[in-house]
Amino acid sequence: MISKLDNKTLAVHLLRISFGINFLFHGIVRLPNLEGFVTGMQNTFQNTLLPSFLVTPLAYSIPFIELTIGILLLINKYTKHTLIGAFGLMNVLVIGSSFAQKWDLVGLQATYIGFLFLLFYFTEEKTVKTY
């Protein structure tokens, strides 16, 4: 089956799977210690302009969003919409990291955005060929 895929299609599948694993495990490892993750986020943003009434609900939702994005990328369902959601999440994270002045994280997140762009750009409009 793999031998029937052209290099571009195979590369898109491999990148989608890699990002799926990445997002999935970001969510999975945070869920058992969700309270710790939320507390860490609250502490990170306590001396910034971001109010806790925005930070706290977002911190609770991030692992579930990551988990959902990861699963959907791995099973290749709603890929276009999932990638748009991943862009949205990454932009929210860039905004938060900027408020916290964590420029190293902003750079890493920009790298994610660049690879998400490539994945989105090379994913076929209708569906990715699977043969």
Side-chain angles (χ1 to χ4, degrees):
M1 175 152 71
I2 289 176
S3 61
K4 293 183 180 181
L5 297 176
D6 59 82
N7 286 349
K8 176 188 166 198
T9 303
L10 183 58
V12 169
H13 280 298
L14 293 172
L15 186 59
R16 177 185 49 76
I17 290 166
S18 295
F19 262 90
I21 291 168
N22 187 300
F23 276 98
L24 177 70
F25 281 92
H26 268 85
I28 285 175
V29 300
R30 290 181 173 147
L31 287 177
N33 187 24
L34 186 58
E35 290 300 321
F37 175 71
V38 171
T39 300
M41 292 282 283
Q42 290 167 330
N43 292 338
T44 297
F45 293 103
Q46 71 183 8
N47 295 319
T48 70
L49 296 174
L50 284 178
S52 63
F53 73 84
L54 291 178
V55 172
T56 300
L58 187 59
Y60 275 109
S61 65
I62 286 173
F64 295 100
I65 294 169
E66 292 170 330
L67 188 73
T68 302
I69 289 170
I71 290 169
L72 291 173
L73 287 176
L74 283 171
I75 65 173
N76 200 22
K77 292 290 182 187
Y78 315 110
T79 304
K80 181 177 182 177
H81 294 95
T82 301
L83 290 171
I84 291 169
F87 272 104
L89 174 62
M90 294 311 301
N91 285 318
V92 166
L93 295 176
V94 165
I95 291 167
S97 296
S98 296
F99 270 103
Q101 298 184 47
K102 296 198 176 272
W103 307 117
D104 55 332
L105 290 179
V106 172
L108 179 61
Q109 291 157 346
T111 303
Y112 270 76
I113 290 168
F115 280 106
L116 284 171
F117 166 80
L118 291 172
L119 182 56
F120 190 85
Y121 184 82
F122 288 107
T123 296
E124 293 191 23
E125 186 67 29
K126 293 178 185 167
T127 57
V128 176
K129 293 184 253 179
T130 55
Y131 294 97

